Amino acid sequence: MRSWNIRLVLVHENTGEDVPATIFEKATYKLHPTFGDRETQVIKRPPFKIQEEGWGEFDLRIIVTGVDKGGDHDLSHDLNFQQERYEAEHKITFKNPKPTLLEKLKESGPVGGEENGVKSKRGDESAKKRKRPEKGVDMEKLADSLQRLGEEDLLQVVEMIHNNKTAETYTKNEVEQGEFHVDLYTLPDNLVRMLWEFCVEKLGS
């Protein structure tokens, strides 16, 4: 019988040091069915450590739930006893993280405005926009609608953003991966309205 444990931490982008995984509100471990009543275990406090014992090796699922409606993210971990201690790294992407989650993400390295060099300006301005979104625009619905657009429509959206963004607007274009990222809460009100009306035209209300 072997005793084993797993804990979750973040890795700081710049220093490589372990950082408490406060971006998650809980971790759900899905073990092998032979664990019976302990097959599913939910841990709600960092480092989300699970302690168990058994003979077999298996692939287990870890579902981490982000704070501030950060969604569920499914990880697969190969539990084996080939080494006394080992680590596995997983990359998680949050789409349009809300304020609380965004602040916690910063604990593990630069995000958002830091990459665009507008960290000093972005804080207060983005907070204001989150509190006072463009009248008549549901920001969460807008984000969902943008993800449902077709490829040609998305190219128009990218062009609209580039042509109307301000110094506070955060965008990131990952050409190799074919991905374009934008923080909707940093967009000027007139651009938010333009995107909203574009989505309504293409997808309906």
Side-chain angles (χ1 to χ4, degrees), residues 47-115:
F48 305 102
K49 182 178 179 179
I50 181 175
Q51 180 83 42
E52 278 293 346
E53 58 181 19
W55 291 110
E57 301 178 348
F58 60 94
D59 290 332
L60 64 85
R61 289 177 60 205
I62 308 173
I63 304 169
V64 290
T65 303
V67 301
D68 203 6
K69 298 181 180 180
D72 291 337
H73 304 266
D74 208 324
L75 311 177
S76 178
H77 179 71
D78 174 25
L79 178 69
N80 63 74
F81 304 118
Q82 297 177 17
Q83 302 178 59
E84 186 69 24
R85 175 188 175 91
Y86 66 99
E87 299 178 351
E89 291 190 6
H90 300 272
K91 181 178 180 180
I92 296 177
T93 301
F94 294 96
K95 295 183 178 180
N96 299 313
K98 294 189 175 182
T100 300
L101 175 55
L102 188 61
E103 287 303 314
K104 291 184 179 296
L105 283 169
K106 291 179 181 179
E107 297 174 3
S108 60
V111 296
E114 286 94 338
E115 296 180 2

Side-chain angles (χ1 to χ4, degrees), residues 140-191:
E140 291 188 10
K141 188 173 181 180
L142 174 59
D144 178 68
S145 297
L146 289 171
Q147 295 181 55
R148 290 162 50 204
L149 292 173
E151 186 174 348
E152 291 186 3
D153 291 336
L154 285 174
L155 290 175
Q156 292 186 53
V157 167
V158 172
E159 184 177 357
M160 291 166 62
I161 293 173
H162 277 307
N163 291 339
N164 297 276
K165 65 182 180 179
T166 66
E168 284 74 35
T169 300
Y170 166 66
T171 61
K172 183 178 181 182
N173 196 3
E174 296 183 339
V175 179
E176 293 182 0
Q177 288 76 27
E179 297 181 354
F180 177 78
H181 303 270
V182 59
D183 184 342
L184 296 179
Y185 288 101
T186 65
L187 300 180
D189 288 345
N190 67 311
L191 180 52

